[in-house]
Amino acid sequence: MNIMKKNLLVVAVALLACSMLSCSGELTDDSSPVELVVTNSQTLNVIDIGPNTDDDCDQNVGTINMQVIPKNASATGNLLQVRVNRYRVSYQRTDGGTQVPAPFVRSIDTLIGVGTSASLATFTILEADALNQAPFAALQPQNGGRDPQTGRPVVKMEVIVEIFGETLGGDNVYDATRFPLDFCYDCGGCS
């Protein structure tokens, strides 16, 4: 009898663990009646972090385009509008290096109706102090001018911008876009 109770307890714990692991979190919530689709229009591919940059370095990396699409063609109503409330920026090296700036989150407030779109033209891809830290600090001439992990004068990475929002009905929505960028020091400006 004890063995049977023990086996039942193990099965119950296993079922509880499976149900907890399958619970939808913010990033995987699939129950929303709409989908947030995020793309981008990239303007810059090279970021010159040196002091002698040209006017091109004063422009934005690109524009983030956000669209709310209904999952069901008959879905309508104000509760399906999406309030985009924040974005998270993180990084992934594409050149074999591993050092990246710390990720960060910024608040925004944009309301997007079903079947409509909105753009985010001004957003931050790097914290102000990131250029004085790894991996960018190594690109400065006084620090060797090369990334110590790759031996190259350029750091290649993707800047990942994740957009978070919620329908006015309370369902979480999420999508992300990537900006592939090359960072260099005093290499002729941004382009």
Side-chain angles (χ1 to χ4, degrees), residues 92-107:
Q92 182 176 18
R93 293 282 293 265
T94 58
D95 59 5
T98 57
Q99 291 182 326
V100 294
F104 62 90
V105 176
R106 290 279 188 272
S107 295

Side-chain angles (χ1 to χ4, degrees), residues 77-88:
N78 287 337
L79 293 179
L80 300 181
Q81 295 180 73
V82 170
R83 179 163 310 280
V84 174
N85 52 31
R86 68 193 181 287
Y87 67 92
R88 179 181 188 265

Side-chain angles (χ1 to χ4, degrees), residues 26-63:
E26 181 176 42
L27 297 181
T28 60
D29 192 351
D30 199 40
S31 64
S32 175
V34 296
E35 185 174 356
L36 177 64
V37 177
V38 177
T39 59
N40 73 62
S41 302
Q42 190 162 344
T43 307
L44 296 177
N45 295 304
V46 176
I47 306 292
D48 187 340
I49 62 173
N52 302 318
T53 59
D54 57 16
D55 290 340
D56 288 338
C57 293
D58 291 334
Q59 64 181 316
N60 292 319
V61 168
T63 302

Side-chain angles (χ1 to χ4, degrees), residues 72-176:
N72 179 344
S74 64
T76 58
N78 287 337
L79 293 179
L80 300 181
Q81 295 180 73
V82 170
R83 179 163 310 280
V84 174
N85 52 31
R86 68 193 181 287
Y87 67 92
R88 179 181 188 265
V89 177
S90 59
Y91 311 90
Q92 182 176 18
R93 293 282 293 265
T94 58
D95 59 5
T98 57
Q99 291 182 326
V100 294
F104 62 90
V105 176
R106 290 279 188 272
S107 295
I108 55 176
D109 187 21
T110 302
L111 186 63
I112 308 169
V114 176
T116 64
S117 60
S119 296
L120 184 59
T122 305
F123 55 96
T124 303
I125 63 159
L126 284 173
E127 300 268 25
D129 62 339
L131 297 179
N132 298 320
Q133 299 173 13
F136 307 117
L139 300 179
Q140 298 175 14
Q142 67 270 24
N143 297 330
R146 295 186 173 277
D147 177 45
Q149 292 184 319
T150 64
R152 300 169 75 191
V154 175
V155 171
K156 295 177 175 281
M157 66 175 62
E158 287 189 337
V159 177
I160 304 160
V161 182
E162 300 168 281
I163 306 291
F164 299 91
E166 185 177 277
T167 66
L168 295 184
D171 295 309
N172 292 324
V173 293
Y174 156 88
D175 201 10

Side-chain angles (χ1 to χ4, degrees), residues 9-23:
L9 182 60
V10 169
V11 169
V13 169
L15 287 173
L16 180 63
C18 287
S19 69
M20 290 181 74
L21 289 174
S22 67
C23 288

